[in-house]
Amino acid sequence: MVPFAGYDMPVQYPSGIIKEHLHTREKAGLFDVSHMGQAFLSGADPARALERVTPADLAGLKQGMQRYGLLLNDQGGIKDDFMTTRLEGEPALFLVVNASMKESDFAYIGERLKGVATLAPQPDRALLALQGPAAGAVLSRHAPGIDGLTFMQVVRTGIAGIPAIVGRTGYTGEDGFEISIAAKDAEVLARRLLREAEVMPIGLGARDSLRLEAGLCLYGHDIDETTDPVEANLVWAIGKRRKLEKDFPAADKIMQALHCGAARKRVGIRPDGKAPVRDGAEILNKDGRVIGRITSGGYGPSLNAPIAMGYVEAPYAGDGTELGLSVRGKIVPARVAPMPFVAHRYKRAI
Amino acid sequence: MSETRFTDQHEWVRIDGDEGTVGITKYATEQLGDVVYVELPSVGKSLAKGAEAAVVESVKAASEVYAPIGGAVTTVNEALNADPATVNASPEGDGWFFKMKIADASEATKLMTAAAYADYVKGL
């Protein structure tokens, strides 16, 4: 157990990170992510209101759907990344934000949306994630019909008789679900799902290696207030309509970066050899000049190889560019590589 | 007769005459989790007692391994390059890191015996 964002969290269960990781890709893993921040946002038009602090197209978010968003500060830096859901027939939006940022996010949103929308944090809600190719079959046993959901669809339904908000979403690159329930019901549901033959409990360690293989950002490492959406390669999180209306924080600056190109870019990196290269390692060009820094790095169990992501000066961001990584005073040869490192297997609508 | 001694940093050294074989303890591997890479010292390298001798990388993090006693590296366990998980499977057997020619045998007598180390770990 380790302290994480004010919670005691398991890095791994007895089977260990590699087994947990591979099991999630092969069958199904259950993650307790109740430390994440959940909230409802209500008001006359909460989607339009929330667009004050994010470039996501939330007004255009359809009922029963979830969307990824970036919470921006006035300089265009990323305060957090979060998910917004518009539940069928409900006026309030349902938000999920990062654990380490929830207090700061909620304060920021509350202040910026004062008078137009009201944020109601839900500290008594828990969040479980069931991820992996068997997740649909497993969850169907407790919620018939749930396997009909496609990627990013969300419903209110019962699971084993427990009222839940269930979304076909996750943070592993695999098909799967995130299940929001009352905290008092969490243990019962977790134990029920763990009784299924395909399901193994998964700790923070494998959560990190799974998301890194999937090329997904970890807030505080790969994105933070010093990175903007363009250099973070998250331009897809800016809605088409928002680009035209330019009414999000630092829109002019971000649109200019979008047109002129950012000075640095977040890229995937494959180090040669076996040694993992960690967060903070310097990235060098062939002449030995420092051109960037690793922001996430480790070992990818599905690839049996080290993988990393980091920021490099824009001319070095092309796939296949040869780089050097500084590890304990030695230079490890590496290459810019496309992400995700392991293909996503979401169940997309056809 | 060989004797194995232990450090409070969870290294072990098995002493056979003037040869020392060094590795990390089962307790260490349990703390580290799955080992994915071991950076071994160069053969011939002279290590003082307590000097950084190797690096063991688990999925979680990198950890230094220190020389339990002083000496010169004579052999490294190349098998760990191909299969670093041997460290988890057999930390005090096939998962050894390197062998050294012991410089000063008296240094070993200051390290913990197996029984003392077992007590030490119990107290952690």
Side-chain angles (χ1 to χ4, degrees), chain A residues 11-12 15-19 205 209 273-278 297-299 301 327-328 330, chain B residues 30-37 39-40 52 55 57-62 64 81-82 84:
Chain A
V11 168
Q12 59 180 9
S15 51
I17 296 174
I18 292 178
K19 281 210 180 77
S209 56
K274 286 280 196 183
V277 180
R278 311 280 178 181
Y299 168 80
V327 180
R328 296 184 284 272
K330 289 179 209 148
Chain B
E30 286 165 359
Q31 296 301 305
L32 290 168
D34 299 316
V35 172
V36 297
Y37 177 74
E39 188 176 287
L40 296 165
E52 191 181 313
V55 178
E57 297 253 15
S58 70
V59 184
K60 285 182 281 182
E64 283 82 29
N81 293 329

Side-chain angles (χ1 to χ4, degrees), chain A residues 49-304:
Chain A
L50 193 54
E51 287 188 354
R52 290 182 179 187
V53 289
T54 178
D57 179 3
L58 296 180
L61 179 61
K62 293 195 173 72
Q63 290 199 19
M65 296 300 294
Q66 181 173 82
R67 183 162 287 168
Y68 178 82
L70 298 170
L71 190 66
L72 298 183
N73 67 23
D74 289 331
Q75 288 71 48
I78 302 171
K79 278 189 74 73
D80 199 8
D81 59 349
F82 68 106
M83 303 301 284
T84 303
T85 299
R86 188 192 291 278
L87 288 158
E88 186 83 39
E90 295 185 27
L93 295 177
F94 175 55
L95 309 183
V96 179
V97 307
N98 281 305
S100 57
M101 299 306 296
K102 59 187 172 187
E103 275 153 35
S104 146
D105 288 359
F106 291 162
Y108 183 66
I109 294 169
E111 180 214 326
R112 288 306 181 95
L113 277 55
K114 203 179 240 174
V116 290
T118 307
L119 192 73
Q122 304 289 307
D124 293 332
R125 287 192 82 88
L127 194 64
L128 299 177
L130 185 66
Q131 301 279 297
V138 167
L139 205 59
S140 296
R141 289 173 210 148
H142 304 275
I146 202 76
D147 207 15
L149 288 183
T150 54
F151 185 56
M152 290 293 198
Q153 271 192 317
V154 185
V155 290
R156 262 194 204 271
T157 187
I159 301 181
I162 294 166
I165 298 171
V166 183
R168 195 133 202 179
T169 180
Y171 190 48
T172 58
E174 294 297 323
D175 180 24
F177 302 86
E178 287 188 353
I179 305 161
S180 170
I181 46 180
K184 66 177 175 52
D185 295 329
E187 187 177 340
V188 170
L189 182 58
R191 289 192 187 282
R192 280 243 187 174
L193 294 173
L194 287 170
R195 275 212 295 272
E196 299 289 346
E198 300 96 326
V199 181
M200 182 185 270
I202 312 296
L204 277 186
R207 182 170 162 82
D208 190 52
S209 56
L210 287 159
R211 71 90 198 167
L212 182 56
E213 283 186 346
L216 301 172
C217 291
L218 174 60
Y219 190 79
H221 292 256
D222 309 307
I223 48 176
D224 60 27
E225 295 211 42
T226 71
T227 58
D228 71 38
V230 181
E231 56 195 19
N233 227 346
L234 296 172
V235 172
W236 56 270
I238 307 175
K240 206 180 276 180
R241 172 179 60 82
R242 306 302 307 281
K243 284 184 199 164
L244 296 172
E245 293 178 1
K246 293 187 198 152
D247 56 350
F248 51 88
D252 289 339
K253 186 176 159 190
I254 289 170
M255 292 309 293
Q256 176 156 357
L258 193 55
H259 291 128
C260 305
R264 56 177 191 156
K265 279 273 179 194
R266 181 176 64 91
V267 295
I269 294 168
R270 295 282 303 257
D272 288 359
K274 286 280 196 183
V277 180
R278 311 280 178 181
D279 179 12
E282 286 180 334
I283 305 172
L284 296 84
N285 68 4
K286 288 180 93 175
D287 303 328
R289 183 170 67 79
V290 175
I291 52 144
R293 195 170 285 278
I294 297 293
T295 52
S296 280
Y299 168 80
S302 298
L303 299 164
N304 187 22

